[in-house]
Amino acid sequence: MPPRPRPGRGWLLRLVIAFAFAQGAVSMARPAVSYRALSLGADERAIGVIAGVYALLPLFAAVPLGRRTDHGRCAPLLPVGVLLIGAGCALSGAAGSLAALAAWSGVMGLGHLCFVIGAQSLVARQSAPADQDRNFGHFTIGASLGQLVGPIAAGCLISERDGAMARTSALALLVSAVVAAVSLTSLWRIEHRKTAGPPRTSADKVPVGSILRTRGVPAGIFISLAVLSATDILTAYLPVVGEHRGIAPATVGLLLSLRAAATIACRLVMTPMLRRVGRTALLSTTCLLGGLLCAAIALPVPVWGLAVVLAVLGFCLGVGQPLSMTTVVQAAPAAARSTALALRLTGNRLGQVAAPASAGLIAGVAGTAAPFVMLGALLVGAAGLGLRGGGPRATADPAAEEPEPRAERPRAERPRAEHPCAERPCAERDSP
């Protein structure tokens, strides 16, 4: 089997830039949707429902999109995702009811899913195994850049003075649609045709149950779910916490951006951390510490204390997403890696549906800080599963894995006369 081509890294830079703008639009729109819902009379429970609808359509679309990507090109999903994100943002700004706001938020979530499945599949397909941790880490820097700038921009545009929140939150959503459109300028020559997936055959279709039973895949999916749920609820509920504690929207935006900046810092130093402690230990330790810090947000700390907590929390949360991608890709069958990534995203969206809805119920009963205690428990559970669920393939050095040469060497070293298959037909002798 010829080695997979290893294209240059210009495509990765363009993908990071496009992802930064697409994620920036979403990160700007998510708090803006929360503020617009508040201006329309929503309470904590309604905020939780709207945040959950964002993930509802993607919950059902992820696996079919992954199946399609396993046996075709990845790049067409990227502009489709951008267009859906832009439409969802713009129409959310024009929505005049909570139901319409929730529906267009779901369209935005579907666009984000299309973009992410296409982009993650590109990274998995066009990266050598030894480069996957690094490339996935650099890819997610694009997301962190968007999460850094988006909330600041939303906080600068949204004002609650003199009853202006409805107008300014709508403006922020329209601006986020323009930001999403900018990402289209980087989506040129991003996929190399030689790395496209093989044609679909019935033998290539690995059952979903078989993928989920592969050691390392469930742990990667749950860790990703827990980390993304924490990030998502932070984005959706920190504005509500700010309203109750008297923290201005601009300050809330800065706090969210501080968390994103710490995540970027984490991903820039991820490679030396991996060399020092290993993937399993790094994932479990950061999930455990992240869980404790999430619970600390429930404490009535001053703004500077909240800033410290969010900075350290952002550093911890920066580990989970890229390493869970690599864990799932390396554990999954080769013919179903995009499907495995889609299952990971399905887990993410399931968390984005269930976690905000649960957070809304908990907030309605126990107060706005209580959902962060729930997140803390979820991350502590992910830390334990990470220690138990990672298989050797998920934690070994990918560069050391050369299965085909190992399988062929003993065959080549043995004399033809002594080979047990010497008298068999060639087709049978050469079969794997």
Side-chain angles (χ1 to χ4, degrees):
M1 180 178 179
R4 174 174 291 183
R6 298 184 182 183
R9 298 185 69 204
W11 64 270
L12 182 60
L13 177 61
R14 293 192 294 276
L15 186 61
V16 169
I17 293 171
F19 195 23
F21 280 103
Q23 185 65 54
V26 172
S27 297
M28 185 177 178
R30 296 302 302 284
V33 165
S34 295
Y35 282 117
R36 181 150 183 81
L38 289 171
S39 73
L40 293 173
D43 57 11
E44 289 87 351
R45 296 183 186 182
I47 296 288
V49 171
I50 291 171
V53 171
Y54 169 84
L56 191 59
L57 286 176
L59 186 61
F60 300 103
V63 172
L65 287 172
R67 289 284 194 203
R68 176 214 166 274
T69 308
D70 269 323
H71 301 281
R73 296 183 60 209
C74 308
L77 283 177
L78 303 181
V80 171
V82 170
L83 292 175
L84 289 174
I85 290 171
C89 292
L91 293 169
S92 293
S97 68
L98 293 178
L101 187 62
W104 295 123
S105 180
V107 171
M108 186 199 315
L110 181 61
H112 188 258
L113 174 82
C114 290
F115 190 98
V116 171
I117 285 182
Q120 288 182 7
S121 299
L122 268 176
V123 176
R125 191 174 289 174
Q126 297 188 170
S127 300
D131 297 335
Q132 284 177 346
D133 278 326
R134 181 196 65 191
N135 286 358
F136 274 122
H138 290 172
F139 164 70
T140 52
I141 286 175
S144 298
L145 286 170
Q147 291 166 354
L148 172 67
V149 177
I152 291 179
C156 291
L157 289 173
I158 298 170
S159 172
E160 57 185 337
R161 294 180 181 177
D162 302 323
M165 186 181 291
R167 177 177 55 81
T168 56
S169 60
L171 174 63
L173 287 164
L174 292 174
V175 171
S176 66
V178 175
V179 172
V182 175
S183 64
L184 293 171
T185 61
S186 294
L187 298 179
W188 50 275
R189 295 182 62 188
I190 207 163
E191 181 175 23
H192 295 75
R193 294 300 183 100
K194 292 182 180 180
T195 61
R200 179 182 294 275
T201 66
S202 58
D204 288 332
K205 190 173 181 179
V206 182
V208 169
S210 176
I211 299 171
L212 291 174
R213 287 192 297 271
T214 304
R215 189 177 182 187
V217 171
I221 289 173
F222 188 80
I223 289 170
S224 179
L225 181 155
V227 171
L228 188 66
S229 294
T231 304
D232 204 56
I233 289 181
L234 274 173
T235 303
Y237 266 83
L238 203 61
V240 182
V241 172
E243 281 288 297
H244 281 260
R245 296 186 186 178
I247 303 173
T251 304
V252 171
L254 286 172
L255 289 172
L256 289 171
S257 296
L258 177 63
R259 195 275 313 160
T263 297
I264 294 173
C266 167
R267 288 167 181 168
L268 289 173
V269 298
M270 188 176 295
T271 300
M273 288 194 299
L274 281 167
R275 289 181 186 142
R276 185 172 294 273
V277 301
R279 187 184 299 149
T280 300
L282 186 61
L283 270 172
S284 299
T285 302
T286 53
C287 283
L288 177 61
L289 183 56
L292 298 175
L293 290 167
C294 270
I297 295 175
L299 301 176
V301 295
V303 173
W304 66 265
L306 194 59
V308 172
V309 169
L310 287 171
V312 182
L313 176 60
F315 192 91
C316 293
L317 295 180
V319 170
Q321 292 295 346
L323 294 194
S324 68
M325 291 178 204
T326 309
T327 298
V328 168
V329 164
Q330 293 182 4
R337 286 174 178 166
S338 292
T339 304
L341 286 169
L343 286 170
R344 174 186 166 276
L345 289 172
T346 301
N348 288 351
R349 295 308 187 257
L350 181 63
Q352 287 182 300
V353 170
S358 302
L361 292 174
I362 293 172
V365 173
T368 56
F372 297 102
V373 177
M374 178 195 75
L375 284 179
L378 190 65
L379 284 168
V380 170
L385 186 61
L387 284 173
R388 295 178 56 190
R393 189 172 184 181
T395 56
D397 181 5
E401 296 186 10
E402 297 289 345
E404 290 182 9
R406 281 204 303 269
E408 292 172 1
R409 273 191 215 109
R411 215 185 266 184
E413 289 169 1
R414 299 179 65 173
R416 182 179 179 86
E418 297 177 7
H419 198 289
C421 300
E423 300 302 320
R424 298 180 188 175
C426 292
E428 186 178 347
R429 189 167 63 243
D430 293 340
S431 63

